[in-house]
Amino acid sequence: MKRIFTKFSVLTFLCFLFNYTAFAQNITVKGKVTDGGDKTTIPAVSVQVKGTTTGAQTDVNGNYSISAPANATLVFTYIGYTTQEVPVNNRTTINIVLASSAQQLDQVVVVGYGTQRKIDVTGSVATIKGDEISKQASVNPVSALQGKVAGIAISNSGAPGTSPQITIRGTGTVYGKVGVLYVVDGVWFEDINFLNPADIESMSILKDASSLSIYGIRAANGVVLVTTNKGKKGDAIINYTGTVGYQSVTNKLKMANATEYATLINELTASSGNPPLFKDPGSFGVGTDWYGQLLRNAMVTNHQLSVSGGGEKSTYNLSLGYLNQDGIVEKNNYTRYTARLSNDFQVLKPLKIGYSVSGTSSKTRDINTGIFRQLYAAGPVVPVFYADGTYGDPNDFSLGGGNNFNPQVTSDFYNGVTKDYKLVGNVYAELNIFKDLTFKTSIGGDFGQNEVRIYDPVYKATQGQQSDNSKLGIDRSETRNWIIENTLTYKKLFGDHNLTVLAGQTAQKSKLYVINASAMNVPFSSEGDLYLRLGDAANRTISDRGELNTAVSYFGRINYSYKDRYLLNASLRADAASQFFGGGNLWGKFPSIGAGWVVTKEAFMQDQKVFNSLKLRGSWGKVGNAGVPLNPTNQLIGQKGGYVAYFNGIAYTGKNIDTMVPAFLDWERSSGVDLGFEASFLNSRLSIEADYYNKTTQKAIFEIPVFSNIGLTAATQIGNQADFENKGYEFMATWRDKTEGGLTYSISGNFSYNKNIVKSTVSGKNPIYSGGGGLANGSKATRTLLGRPIGEFYGYQVDGIFQNTAEVAGSAQTSAKPGDFKYVDQNGDGVINGNDRVAIGNPNPKFNYGLNTSFAYKNFDLAVDIQGVAGVDVYNANQSVRFGNENFSKDFYDNRWHGEGTSNKYPSVNIGSTNNAAPNSYYVESGAYIRLRNVQLGYTLPQSVLGKWKMQKIRVFANAQNPVNLFGYKGFSPEISKQVTDKYSPTSAGIDVNVYPLYATYNFGVNVTF
């Protein structure tokens, strides 16, 4: 399939290249730009050839010179002035007078089902342009938003090809689909990992309920609208961007070396009354650095080629992309091919049609999901290889139990590959029925296929790592989704009144089919062709499952403004989803209303000198969440071989109920209020935007425990369990200016605060426990409780370390040993048990902030971004998950308790014992950090050079992403997205059980336009 895909991409590209290689003759255009008010010249005005990346700036005297096609259009922009577009029309001298703009409120913002002038927006909407996204080294466009937008928290994973977790204004939902909704050119997605960042024109983040409610059914966690690049009228423009660089682990965790490890293991065996395991710890020296052995500097290359242009009746845009990203673990690799084509046709004066289609093919060479646990725990006394070339065996050092592995063996014999294919398309037609009424219909969808293949060969490396039988497992899933939308838009400007009315209808269907199969004794093939049918027929297994969800929606919206001064926005959406058919309210209704007042439009503000613009706005709305499993209220009957009855000698397998479902499940909905203002000062050089919000998720769906004594095997039941609230503030300020010397610069800072709290629960004060995945003894480290935040860490409060047996004997922990944690007896009953557990940390970040700067001087440009998080905790479970002779961190070795008076903070090497491994405050650390998110330095070759080469632009740049990370957390990174094998869940967030480490990226690149 990849070969066909590649041939199609190349053929399409050659066709467009053949048809549009005739470039117009460039001429040199010169002129001067002056202020329309005081007639002074304006330096550092941006002069750009419309539809291209070719540009220049005016000098200190307001003069400019640019090479452009004779039929091009020049765009003149400058902060505080109205943008002008001027056709060249074969002229070589064009002087421009820019009019001062009192505000920046006339720019167009993408909102749900259309666009609005920023002045008309009454909700909270943030927009990021494509060029800001493409400046980042991120391979996923969502990562590029980190630190750019107030109110957004993003957690990245270091695994190649993995999508980041994005949260908008706190946790919106807990169960099912907890991610945001992405709308790419009208098509709905749960993830945009398939999208090349270079294909994006802009991203709009809808944050408040008023702007979100038009997407009612799936808007509970926020909506990100993605607009991809389209063709523009003009001659063909070919653009190429290529980068090459490498990724390096930052803040690598330092582990105890072989001598230190042997010392610790001897202490561990001595505590059990056994003789030392290692007679001479010093004889091992430094030993094996397992992180250094398997982690590496990983290469990453990225190439993007696009062709765009068009005539009076049609425009086109074609792009091709290639990404090759090595993981920081050896053999880990991610390769992605992308192709995107869009065309728009003005068939008739009132009729416009168009389409966009994109294809993505990716392949990941996976790693064993337990490799990071092994790298953390592996004994450094074990060599990677012996002198004879065989693998170092932990059993040769009496290291069995939980430390019976050599990570190099795991890496060498793991054979896992993931392949993804996705085809996305959208077709639309737009008809102007008459001057003020437009009908638009569109149909879009995607077809995706995912295949995970894992092959375990026959091998013998160590006593604990060997297999006598090979096994092939294949998991394949297919998705088929489509969406049809029809809208009528009426726009009318009459006198001082501006009215827009939108009415629409949507129908959508999503289908998932999954098949899982495996076979034993499949022979190895050096060609990579592995087939289940070659294995033993007796040991072949196969199972399948599927889901089918449908929804129908009706919506409408009214936008009204009077004299661009008083603004009103109201919308209503009604959704019916198949998930609630037969067991809940089939229909959900989601209204919203917003109002705004542009104060600077008032007569009494005309003579004031403080504000260039000032707008006050407020909104209220409701949104919903349909991201729950299909038919959650239907009781399922199972058949198990353990339940057999015999009648007349014939065995009949019994049917039984092994799960519990709710009798009724209602829509989960969120109601929110937003109050904000937007202002600009000092000739619009300083702009400020601030918001206060309060949103409440009502009838939130949770999984709750089911008591095992009722005879069911299921551990949980879903239901409408609670209401919870997210309340906070957002602030963003931007300063843009120029100097007389020609330096233009921009400094933008954003800050947000969020508080999450449970307002009510069905169970009253009974908590909901979670967060037990991967923890020692299956302990639950989080709880959700009335009056507390969702998923807060919960356990014992540590009050020092027992120093001697006398302290133990006089305490409430008589079974403890010296060197164990001393817990606080919270209720004073003289016994330490589950009743003494308390809140010990909060994984929900209170503060997110970012500082973004850009500078341009002559042909040089520089961008520096800083991003950080504060007021958040992380549960470092790496230390407590111990089953044998695992290694320890160097920090633990240096500070551990190893005798009376040696430490009153760190426990002894018995940290993995039942008493010490229980969730407690020792494992909770600050998750605050600040990082240098991105630095990019670029140089654009002057027009005098480009003219000789007949090129429009050549820009070279160097980039560093995450080169500096400052934090106190005793792990790789406090940015905990999700475990390698787990999906993100807000009730178990912030638990670090050996996640894939983050890294810094350093690369060089070039951007060429011709």
Side-chain angles (χ1 to χ4, degrees):
M1 181 174 180
K2 186 196 307 182
R3 189 173 300 169
I4 296 173
F5 177 86
T6 305
K7 288 182 178 179
F8 171 77
S9 302
V10 174
L11 181 60
T12 306
F13 168 68
L14 291 176
C15 289
F16 275 90
L17 190 61
F18 176 77
N19 286 308
Y20 294 99
T21 51
F23 296 98
Q25 181 66 41
N26 279 16
I27 62 176
T28 300
V29 182
K30 299 180 179 181
K32 179 174 292 187
V33 180
T34 56
D35 186 300
D38 57 19
K39 309 303 179 184
T40 58
T41 58
I42 309 176
V45 174
S46 172
V47 186
Q48 190 168 18
V49 179
K50 186 176 181 180
T52 76
T53 56
T54 300
Q57 286 188 344
T58 58
D59 60 20
V60 291
N61 298 314
N63 297 312
Y64 73 91
S65 176
I66 189 171
S67 177
N71 62 347
T73 297
L74 299 183
V75 182
F76 297 81
T77 56
Y78 191 71
I79 300 300
Y81 292 84
T82 302
T83 298
Q84 281 197 40
E85 296 187 6
V86 181
V88 175
N89 291 335
N90 292 302
R91 292 178 293 172
T92 57
T93 302
I94 301 178
N95 295 318
I96 296 297
V97 177
L98 289 183
S100 177
S101 174
Q103 62 251 354
Q104 299 292 309
L105 297 178
D106 290 331
Q107 60 180 295
V108 174
V109 177
V110 178
V111 295
Y113 300 100
T115 59
Q116 287 182 297
R117 295 180 305 165
K118 187 170 178 58
I119 191 176
D120 295 325
V121 176
T122 59
S124 183
V125 181
T127 300
I128 301 295
K129 296 299 183 182
D131 57 354
E132 293 185 61
I133 297 171
S134 61
K135 280 187 177 181
Q136 301 280 336
S138 307
V139 299
N140 187 296
V142 177
S143 295
L145 299 178
Q146 193 170 35
K148 295 283 188 181
V149 180
I152 291 183
I154 294 177
S155 297
N156 294 284
S157 170
T162 303
S163 299
Q165 175 65 34
I166 175 173
T167 304
I168 300 176
R169 290 186 169 180
T171 298
T173 61
V174 172
Y175 180 78
K177 297 175 181 178
V178 300
V180 304
L181 169 66
Y182 298 95
V183 182
V184 182
D185 295 335
V187 183
W188 294 23
F189 298 97
E190 296 177 21
D191 188 280
I192 55 173
N193 198 36
F194 66 92
L195 196 58
N196 190 327
D199 285 332
I200 295 176
E201 180 180 306
S202 68
M203 297 176 72
S204 290
I205 298 91
L206 312 184
K207 297 189 288 184
D208 74 310
S210 173
S211 59
L212 289 167
S213 64
I214 201 70
Y215 290 104
I217 191 173
R218 276 291 316 281
N221 298 300
V223 177
V224 177
L225 306 180
V226 181
T227 303
T228 60
N229 293 324
K230 304 293 183 183
K232 297 179 175 63
K233 294 179 181 180
D235 295 307
I237 298 170
I238 300 177
N239 183 269
Y240 165 78
T241 301
T243 61
V244 60
Y246 70 95
Q247 299 161 158
S248 178
V249 177
T250 59
N251 302 82
K252 187 171 75 171
L253 188 61
K254 190 172 183 180
M255 304 298 295
N257 63 31
T259 297
E260 295 163 343
Y261 170 80
T263 301
L264 293 169
I265 297 303
N266 283 348
E267 290 179 12
L268 184 63
T269 56
S271 68
S272 302
N274 296 315
L277 184 62
F278 302 107
K279 294 182 178 179
D280 183 11
S283 65
F284 291 103
V286 174
T288 303
D289 175 8
W290 286 107
Y291 281 127
Q293 174 66 23
L294 268 76
L295 301 187
R296 62 180 178 178
N297 288 336
M299 293 294 296
V300 56
T301 58
N302 201 347
H303 302 277
Q304 170 80 7
L305 181 66
S306 66
V307 183
S308 65
E312 291 299 321
K313 297 293 185 180
S314 67
T315 58
Y316 64 91
N317 182 279
L318 168 68
S319 69
L320 303 173
Y322 168 74
L323 168 70
N324 191 328
Q325 180 186 16
D326 287 333
I328 57 173
V329 182
E330 65 173 30
K331 299 184 179 180
N332 195 197
N333 174 264
Y334 175 71
T335 304
R336 183 184 68 194
Y337 299 87
T338 60
R340 190 170 189 87
L341 174 64
S342 65
N343 276 102
D344 297 284
F345 305 93
Q346 195 72 49
V347 181
L348 301 170
K349 187 175 181 180
L351 177 63
K352 184 179 181 180
I353 64 174
Y355 72 89
S356 65
V357 60
S358 67
T360 303
S361 171
S362 66
K363 178 180 178 180
T364 306
R365 183 163 185 181
D366 299 317
I367 58 172
N368 188 297
T369 55
I371 191 67
F372 287 106
R373 176 61 194 166
Q374 292 189 11
L375 292 176
Y376 182 91
V381 297
V382 180
V384 181
F385 298 101
Y386 293 128
D388 61 0
T390 59
Y391 289 98
D393 192 339
N395 286 277
D396 293 342
F397 299 84
S398 301
L399 300 179
N403 193 21
N404 194 11
F405 45 76
N406 178 326
Q408 188 67 56
V409 174
T410 303
S411 176
D412 289 347
F413 288 96
Y414 185 82
N415 187 340
V417 174
T418 299
K419 296 180 180 180
D420 280 288
Y421 306 96
K422 185 179 283 288
L423 184 65
V424 178
N426 175 264
V427 180
Y428 77 90
E430 191 173 278
L431 177 65
N432 292 326
I433 300 175
F434 53 83
K435 181 181 178 182
D436 302 316
L437 184 64
T438 302
F439 171 73
K440 183 177 181 180
T441 182
S442 67
I443 179 170
D446 68 277
F447 168 80
Q449 178 177 298
N450 169 271
E451 179 181 290
V452 179
R453 188 208 68 187
I454 300 176
Y455 179 70
D456 297 323
V458 175
Y459 73 101
K460 184 174 183 179
T462 69
Q463 291 187 45
Q465 293 171 288
Q466 55 181 297
S467 176
D468 295 329
N469 301 98
S470 65
K471 181 180 179 180
L472 174 63
I474 296 178
D475 298 330
R476 180 176 296 161
S477 63
E478 293 182 359
T479 56
R480 294 181 177 90
N481 307 315
W482 58 258
I483 180 170
I484 298 175
E485 295 185 320
N486 300 293
T487 60
L488 271 173
T489 305
Y490 175 77
K491 291 185 178 182
K492 183 67 175 179
L493 179 62
F494 45 97
D496 294 326
H497 307 274
N498 193 340
L499 177 68
T500 300
V501 180
L502 169 74
Q505 174 268 336
T506 296
Q508 54 186 312
K509 178 185 286 187
S510 60
K511 183 178 180 180
L512 170 67
Y513 178 68
V514 181
I515 185 169
N516 311 105
S518 65
M520 300 291 290
N521 297 318
V522 176
F524 175 76
S525 171
S526 59
E527 302 297 323
D529 297 323
L530 299 169
Y531 300 101
L532 293 166
R533 66 178 179 83
L534 299 178
D536 294 340
N539 293 316
R540 256 182 245 149
T541 63
I542 186 168
S543 64
D544 66 345
R545 61 182 176 85
E547 292 183 8
L548 178 63
N549 295 327
T550 59
V552 62
S553 311
Y554 300 93
F555 55 89
R557 181 175 61 209
I558 297 175
N559 294 96
Y560 170 76
S561 69
Y562 175 69
K563 291 186 176 181
D564 287 341
R565 185 184 307 167
Y566 308 114
L567 316 171
L568 180 66
N569 178 307
S571 68
L572 175 65
R573 181 170 180 127
D575 293 305
S578 60
Q579 293 94 314
F580 297 93
F581 181 75
N585 287 334
L586 181 61
W587 286 90
K589 300 177 181 64
F590 309 103
S592 76
I593 188 168
W597 177 27
V598 184
V599 183
T600 44
K601 291 284 187 177
E602 297 287 357
F604 65 81
M605 293 290 288
Q606 300 310 303
D607 295 329
Q608 57 85 31
K609 304 297 182 182
V610 178
F611 296 99
N612 297 111
S613 66
L614 174 63
K615 183 175 81 171
L616 307 180
R617 51 178 170 76
S619 65
W620 170 90
K622 282 191 174 184
V623 292
N625 174 34
V628 297
L630 182 66
N631 299 327
T633 60
N634 288 359
Q635 182 67 67
L636 301 179
I637 304 298
Q639 281 185 297
K640 291 189 177 181
Y643 302 95
V644 179
Y646 289 87
F647 295 96
N648 298 324
I650 301 175
Y652 293 88
T653 302
K655 294 180 173 61
N656 57 290
I657 297 174
D658 57 6
T659 60
M660 286 190 66
V661 299
F664 180 87
L665 193 66
D666 202 355
W667 281 84
E668 181 180 279
R669 52 182 60 84
S670 177
S671 174
V673 173
D674 183 277
L675 301 174
F677 75 88
E678 301 165 23
S680 63
F681 314 83
L682 304 174
N683 198 26
S684 297
R685 289 177 294 179
L686 174 63
S687 60
I688 293 176
E689 187 169 345
D691 284 85
Y692 162 80
Y693 63 87
N694 188 331
K695 67 173 184 177
T696 301
T697 299
Q698 302 163 331
K699 299 184 178 181
I701 299 173
F702 279 78
E703 284 186 316
I704 60 173
V706 174
F707 295 108
S708 59
N709 59 8
I710 65 176
L712 301 184
T713 59
T716 59
Q717 173 192 354
I718 66 169
N720 300 109
Q721 303 295 339
D723 295 351
F724 58 87
E725 175 187 82
N726 286 281
K727 181 166 58 177
Y729 307 89
E730 297 171 357
F731 181 81
M732 184 169 184
T734 303
W735 175 270
R736 297 184 179 92
D737 201 4
K738 65 183 186 300
T739 67
E740 293 183 356
L743 172 68
T744 61
Y745 62 96
S746 170
I747 301 174
S748 179
N750 65 80
F751 172 86
S752 60
Y753 164 82
N754 182 78
K755 182 179 181 180
N756 174 277
I757 189 171
V758 177
K759 301 294 290 184
S760 66
T761 62
V762 173
S763 59
K765 294 184 178 181
N766 292 329
I768 300 171
Y769 297 101
S770 187
L775 296 188
N777 306 318
S779 304
K780 302 294 185 180
T782 74
R783 71 170 182 180
T784 299
L785 181 67
L786 181 66
R788 307 294 302 180
I790 289 175
E792 73 175 345
F793 300 131
Y794 177 69
Y796 298 102
Q797 184 68 46
V798 175
D799 187 29
I801 304 297
F802 286 111
Q803 300 296 320
N804 50 54
T805 55
E807 278 192 12
V808 173
S811 73
Q813 295 169 252
T814 55
S815 62
K817 297 179 179 180
D820 283 357
F821 290 122
K822 185 190 302 182
Y823 297 135
V824 176
D825 183 5
Q826 300 289 347
N827 58 10
D829 63 357
V831 178
I832 297 297
N833 55 30
N835 296 326
D836 295 303
R837 291 174 295 172
V838 294
I840 53 176
N842 187 355
N844 302 285
K846 289 184 179 179
F847 306 103
N848 284 273
Y849 56 92
L851 179 65
N852 306 286
T853 67
S854 64
F855 305 88
Y857 179 72
K858 294 184 178 180
N859 295 84
F860 291 93
D861 62 88
L862 173 67
V864 180
D865 300 331
I866 297 172
Q867 175 260 333
V869 174
V872 62
D873 297 310
V874 173
Y875 192 93
N876 190 347
N878 302 316
Q879 301 183 63
S880 66
V881 182
R882 313 188 68 83
F883 304 100
N885 301 318
E886 292 90 350
N887 197 9
F888 299 81
S889 69
K890 182 66 163 60
D891 172 73
F892 181 85
Y893 172 81
D894 291 339
N895 297 282
R896 76 195 186 284
W897 184 94
H898 53 284
E900 186 170 350
T902 53
S903 177
N904 198 40
K905 181 179 179 181
Y906 288 66
S908 70
V909 290
N910 275 311
I911 190 172
S913 66
T914 301
N915 177 71
N916 292 321
N920 64 64
S921 59
Y922 170 82
Y923 300 112
V924 177
E925 303 178 36
S926 172
Y929 69 85
I930 181 172
R931 68 161 56 107
L932 185 57
R933 174 62 180 161
N934 204 72
V935 181
Q936 186 173 112
L937 176 64
Y939 176 77
T940 302
L941 272 64
Q943 290 291 326
S944 58
V945 175
L946 297 178
K948 299 176 182 178
W949 297 346
K950 299 187 181 301
M951 306 187 78
Q952 295 188 30
K953 181 179 181 180
I954 297 180
R955 178 177 177 267
V956 293
F957 57 90
N959 194 89
Q961 187 175 76
N962 301 333
V964 179
N965 301 268
L966 303 177
F967 54 83
Y969 178 62
K970 299 180 182 67
F972 274 101
S973 171
E975 186 176 335
I976 309 299
S977 175
K978 52 188 176 183
Q979 307 305 316
V980 178
T981 57
D982 296 337
K983 292 184 178 180
Y984 174 80
S985 172
T987 57
S988 57
I991 299 178
D992 183 1
V993 188
N994 296 109
V995 298
Y996 200 117
L998 295 180
Y999 49 78
T1001 302
Y1002 305 91
N1003 59 14
F1004 297 90
V1006 59
N1007 175 255
V1008 181
T1009 304
F1010 52 94

